[in-house]
């Protein structure tokens, strides 16, 4: 900028000085001409005053020094001329403009080319009365004389011009420096600001015009420095958290490029920090993960999936970050959890099997003892042993059913009649129905596609609960509904009901509302868990409505069958 300003100023000063030079030369030339004209006129006037009829013409014309003096008769003949000429060859001068003007009584100075001498002259003539009429006294000065004056003036003028030019340039240079200096200071501050090493310092010199600007820069800088500091602290915290978090964390921008990745995620995907800014395709080739992330980005919705990387199972949560166009991918290693759950299930199944055999033996021996013992006191114990072994056996049977359901991946569905299943359940519950004088009605019919055993188990557990938790002499209804192509099973009872707080928990295994009462009624605490697992296996919708002391309604919606 400084250089350009200097060039512009130099050009402007040079142009100005050249114009000044041209104008002053032309004014000087004009003045010289006017002065020369005045000299010529004055010489003509003096000569006219000195002229008389008896004057020696040759001596008269020579008195003009540098000025050419010509005496012309009234008929235009040149009588004498101060310049050495051949008088005889001179043409008539009456037609000369200066002579003509003098004859007309309005003498005027003329600049014109002399045909006689071949150079330019300034001419002026006056009409002077003489004895035999009049003569014309003409004075003339060569124009070259004026130019000679000018040429003499020129060298000092040019030197002056250069001196002025140099002075102007030196002055403009210093002025430019002074003007630029505060801006350089502003520029230096901004550069320091960009480099993050800003140290506000007073500007040398008095620059009131930009002081406000400097103050604003200092204020903005202070604000920015504070914000940078806060951001640095936040980043340090974030880096610490990201670095110490066990889960893998990846933040993707709107294009699916990696915006942030923590060390755990780098370890999972086996990538270096250079992955930052690169497409997620460089992160993993796991198709399910890439497709889920892309779909989540396109549809602005969260997603959950499970993937296996290098033999480890990861639960992946894909979340859209609110108010941003970012997507967060969190990878939790659930391999251990899954293995523990598998081990627990195996233990559950093995323990159940191991317990079932000795219990069956105890039950058999107890029955044998009952046949051979009629002693009233012993019979009481034998009946108690029989009740407890039956309860334990049904518990073990339910445990085995549950673990079998948990391990089931595939099913072989066949059309199963719901009313037929309910009828079978009713036949098998005759004992308890009679014992509690509960009436059971089965209304409607419909088929579901499932394994027969699963349908029976589901209906049995629901109806058995309804009967078990009915009051003496109560009523249980099983309604099968096939409206609008959708099949549903409703099991109603008018029993003790379930409080709202318990309703969310009764599907947990071994959860019982009133342990002692449920135990007395012969339940195992696994019935509704089995129902829940069967529904989950087929994707059926299980719902519950209940009011304490009024009754319970459990619905299974099978969907379109
Ligand atoms: P249980 O074998 O003890 O009946 P379930 O898993 O079938 O176990 O039921 C869990 C608990 O839910 C029961 O102990 C009981 O307290 C409650 N429950 C289940 N069905 C009903 C019902 N129809 N009316 C009232 N309470 C019920």
């Amino acid at each position: 900028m400084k250089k350009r300003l200097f060039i512009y100023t130099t050009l402007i000063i040079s142009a100005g000085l050249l114009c000044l030079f041209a104008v002053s030369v032309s004014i000087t030339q004009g003045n010289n001409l006017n002065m020369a004209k005045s000299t010529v006129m004055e010489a003509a006037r003096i000569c006219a005053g000195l002229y008389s009829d008896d004057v020696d013409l040759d001596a008269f014309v020579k008195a003009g020094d540098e000025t050419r003096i010509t005496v012309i008769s009234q008929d235009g003949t040149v009588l004498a001329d101060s310049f050495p000429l051949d008088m005889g060859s001179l043409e008539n001068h009456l037609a000369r403009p200066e002579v003509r003007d003098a004859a007309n009584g309005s003498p005027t100075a003329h600049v014109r080319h002399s045909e006689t001498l071949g150079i330019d002259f300034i001419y002026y003539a006056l009409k002077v009365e003489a004895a035999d009429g009049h003569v014309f006294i003409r004075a003339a000065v060569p124009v070259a004389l004026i130019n000679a004056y000018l040429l003499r003036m020129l060298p000092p003028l040019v030197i002056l011009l250069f001196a002025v030019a140099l002075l102007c340039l030196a002055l403009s240079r210093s002025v430019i420096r002074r003007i630029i200096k505060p801006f350089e200071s502003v520029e230096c501050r901004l550069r320091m600001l960009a480099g993050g090493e800003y140290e506000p310092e007073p500007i040398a010199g008095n620059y009131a015009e930009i002081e406000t600007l400097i103050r604003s820069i200092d204020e903005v800088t202070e604000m920015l420095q504070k914000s940078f500091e806060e951001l640095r602290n936040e980043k340090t915290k974030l880096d610490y958290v990201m670095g110490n978090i066990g889960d893998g964390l990846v933040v993707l921008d709107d294009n699916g490029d990696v915006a942030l990745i923590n060390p755990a995620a780098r370890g999972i995907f086996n990538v270096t920090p250079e992955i930052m800014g690169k497409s997620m395709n460089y992160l993993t080739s796991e198709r399910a993960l890439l497709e889920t992330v892309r779909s989540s980005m396109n549809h602005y919705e969260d997603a959950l999936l499970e993937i296996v990387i290098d033999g480890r199972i990861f639960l992946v949560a894909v979340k859209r970050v609110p108010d941003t166009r970012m997507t967060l991918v969190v990878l939790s290693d659930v391999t251990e959890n899954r293995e523990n759950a598998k081990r627990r299930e195996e233990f559950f199944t093995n323990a159940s099997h191991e317990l079932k055999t000795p219990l069956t033996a105890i039950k058999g021996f107890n029955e044998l003892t009952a046949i051979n013992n009629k002693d009233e006191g012993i019979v009481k114990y034998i009946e108690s042993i029989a009740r407890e072994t039956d309860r334990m056996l049904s518990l073990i049977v339910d445990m085995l059913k549950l673990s079998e359901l948990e391990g089931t991946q595939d099913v072989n569905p066949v059309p199963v009649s719901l009313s037929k299943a309910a009828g079978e359940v009713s036949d098998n519950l005759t004992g308890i129905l009679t014992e509690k004088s509960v009436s059971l009605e089965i209304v409607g019919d419909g088929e579901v596609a499932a394994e027969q055993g699963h349908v029976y188990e589901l209906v049995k557990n629901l109806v058995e609960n309804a009967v078990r938790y009915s009051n003496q002499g109560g009523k249980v209804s099983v309604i099968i509904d096939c409206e609008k192509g959708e099949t549903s099973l409703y099991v109603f009872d008018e029993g003790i009901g379930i409080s709202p707080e318990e309703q969310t928990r009764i599907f947990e295994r071994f959860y019982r509302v009133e342990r002692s009462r449920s135990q007395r009624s012969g339940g195992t605490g696994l019935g509704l868990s089995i129902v829940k697992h069967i529904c989950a296996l087929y994707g059926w919708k299980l719902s519950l409505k209940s009011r304490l002391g009024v009754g319970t309604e459990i619905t299974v919606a099978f969907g379109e069958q």
Side-chain angles (χ1 to χ4, degrees):
M1 180 186 171
K2 207 176 1 174
K3 203 172 163 191
R4 215 181 304 157
L5 261 177
F6 189 66
I7 291 171
Y8 288 151
T9 321
T10 309
L11 285 176
I12 290 168
I13 289 172
S14 307
L17 285 174
L18 276 175
C19 286
L20 192 70
F21 178 72
V23 169
S24 53
V25 164
S26 113
I27 289 172
T28 310
Q29 183 74 333
N31 282 344
N32 286 349
L33 189 66
N34 287 339
M35 268 168 62
K37 275 181 182 172
S38 304
T39 309
V40 170
M41 283 157 78
E42 194 54 36
R45 253 181 243 122
I46 291 168
C47 288
L50 293 172
Y51 182 79
S52 65
D53 288 328
D54 52 357
V55 78
D56 177 358
L57 283 178
D58 285 336
F60 179 76
V61 292
K62 289 278 173 6
D65 195 11
E66 277 187 332
T67 312
R68 178 185 171 195
I69 305 292
T70 313
V71 180
I72 304 157
S73 71
Q74 72 179 39
D75 60 356
T77 311
V78 176
L79 300 174
D81 197 299
S82 55
F83 274 48
L85 296 164
D86 176 9
M87 293 297 172
S89 65
L90 291 173
E91 59 183 45
N92 191 294
H93 272 48
L94 269 189
R96 299 288 196 268
E98 68 278 5
V99 176
R100 218 172 36 226
D101 287 350
N104 294 336
S106 51
T108 314
H110 285 271
V111 178
R112 65 174 178 79
H113 189 70
S114 167
E115 300 298 331
T116 319
L117 292 169
I119 54 170
D120 289 345
F121 275 95
I122 302 166
Y123 290 103
Y124 185 75
L126 285 170
K127 190 169 134 187
V128 178
E129 294 305 319
D132 50 349
H134 62 267
V135 289
F136 296 100
I137 305 294
R138 187 180 76 172
V141 173
V143 173
L145 212 63
I146 306 165
N147 293 340
Y149 290 144
L150 189 71
L151 281 175
R152 245 179 280 144
M153 257 180 66
L154 222 51
L157 202 66
V158 170
I159 291 168
L160 183 72
L161 194 78
F162 268 109
V164 171
L166 285 176
L167 189 71
C168 284
L169 288 177
L171 279 174
S172 71
R173 206 185 157 92
S174 130
V175 170
I176 287 169
R177 274 220 189 102
R178 270 179 67 80
I179 293 173
I180 290 287
K181 200 171 177 187
F183 290 102
E184 281 178 341
S185 170
V186 171
E187 190 208 344
C188 172
R189 277 164 189 252
L190 291 175
R191 221 178 304 118
M192 275 177 5
L193 181 62
E197 298 163 354
Y198 190 78
E199 271 302 323
E201 53 178 44
I203 292 189
N206 183 17
Y207 302 107
E209 298 81 358
I210 63 155
E211 246 169 41
T212 331
L213 175 67
I214 300 278
R215 226 175 297 127
S216 305
I217 292 177
D218 286 349
E219 278 168 20
V220 169
T221 309
E222 208 176 306
M223 263 169 52
L224 282 175
Q225 274 178 338
K226 261 191 207 153
S227 306
F228 283 150
E229 192 56 36
E230 280 169 21
L231 279 176
R232 248 195 300 272
N233 286 344
E234 289 303 314
K235 193 181 174 301
T236 314
K237 281 189 226 161
L238 183 70
D239 284 349
Y240 182 78
V241 174
M242 293 273 281
N244 287 284
I245 216 161
D247 287 346
L249 242 147
V250 184
V251 179
L252 300 166
D253 66 14
D254 203 31
N255 301 322
D257 296 341
V258 178
L260 210 66
I261 182 164
N262 75 339
R266 288 206 300 268
I268 293 168
F269 293 115
N270 195 18
V271 289
T272 59
E274 277 68 52
I275 191 71
M276 292 274 283
K278 288 190 184 153
S279 164
M280 61 176 166
N281 294 328
Y282 291 101
L283 194 65
T284 177
S285 54
E286 196 63 43
R287 270 188 60 183
L289 176 61
L290 292 173
E291 276 167 17
T292 308
V293 171
R294 264 189 222 110
S295 151
S296 169
M297 281 174 161
N298 294 339
H299 301 105
Y300 289 91
E301 57 190 22
D302 296 346
L304 202 67
L305 81 153
E306 217 173 84
I307 55 168
V308 179
I309 301 175
D310 295 335
R312 300 202 69 81
I313 307 163
F314 290 94
L315 190 66
V316 188
V318 183
K319 287 178 180 290
R320 296 289 294 178
V321 184
D323 303 328
T324 68
R325 302 178 80 85
M326 301 281 183
T327 304
L328 177 68
V329 182
V330 184
L331 297 107
S332 313
D333 191 336
V334 292
T335 319
E336 246 90 274
N337 289 358
R338 292 294 141 86
E339 278 168 5
N340 286 344
K342 209 171 152 202
R343 260 181 245 125
R344 269 201 310 275
E345 277 166 26
E346 275 170 12
F347 171 76
F348 196 69
T349 315
N350 291 341
S352 308
H353 273 298
E354 292 304 321
L355 286 170
K356 198 179 171 189
T357 320
L359 263 174
T360 316
I362 293 169
K363 188 176 155 66
F365 290 134
N366 195 44
E367 279 163 6
L368 277 175
T369 317
I371 295 165
N372 299 327
N373 253 305
K374 301 293 171 208
D375 184 318
E376 233 175 79
I378 292 173
V379 166
K380 225 170 91 189
Y381 290 119
I382 289 171
E383 280 172 0
S384 175
I385 291 171
R387 251 195 331 274
E388 290 306 316
T389 44
D390 280 347
R391 210 180 68 75
M392 280 188 80
L393 270 172
S394 48
L395 181 68
I396 287 165
V397 168
D398 275 0
M399 280 166 71
L400 285 169
K401 276 182 203 155
L402 198 60
S403 60
E404 191 196 322
L405 277 169
E406 279 172 342
T408 306
Q409 305 283 352
D410 298 315
V411 284
N412 298 313
V414 290
V416 182
S417 160
L418 287 168
S419 63
K420 219 166 152 191
E424 274 174 44
V425 168
S426 169
D427 292 346
N428 292 335
L429 292 178
T430 323
I432 186 170
L433 283 170
T434 320
E435 191 189 310
K436 292 194 80 170
S437 310
V438 170
S439 68
L440 173 67
E441 63 164 359
I442 299 166
V443 182
D445 192 15
E447 282 188 342
V448 286
E451 282 190 16
Q452 201 139 12
H454 290 156
V455 178
Y456 176 82
E457 201 58 45
L458 178 122
V459 179
K460 187 204 102 179
N461 278 299
L462 293 179
V463 176
E464 197 171 13
N465 276 351
V467 177
R468 199 179 282 152
Y469 301 108
S470 277
N471 299 316
Q472 201 68 27
K475 185 183 165 194
V476 170
S477 310
V478 176
I479 297 169
I480 300 147
D481 183 28
C482 283
E483 255 182 44
K484 295 180 196 153
E486 303 239 330
T487 309
S488 299
L489 173 85
Y490 302 87
V491 180
F492 295 95
D493 68 65
E494 297 165 350
I496 58 171
I498 309 157
S499 69
E501 312 82 71
E502 309 286 352
Q503 285 177 22
T504 48
R505 302 209 55 195
I506 55 166
F507 294 95
E508 291 172 17
R509 57 176 78 175
F510 295 117
Y511 187 82
R512 290 155 141 194
V513 175
E514 229 184 295
R515 186 161 284 277
S516 56
R517 180 178 178 149
S518 303
Q519 239 158 16
R520 260 200 326 275
S521 59
T524 60
L526 291 174
L528 288 182
S529 275
I530 292 171
V531 170
K532 193 175 91 174
H533 270 83
I534 294 171
C535 288
L537 193 60
Y538 290 94
W540 298 335
K541 207 173 149 227
L542 182 64
S543 54
L544 165 86
K545 278 188 212 159
S546 185
R547 274 178 69 191
L548 261 185
V550 177
T552 303
E553 173 195 331
I554 295 189
T555 310
V556 181
F558 301 99
E560 267 183 57
Q561 294 296 312

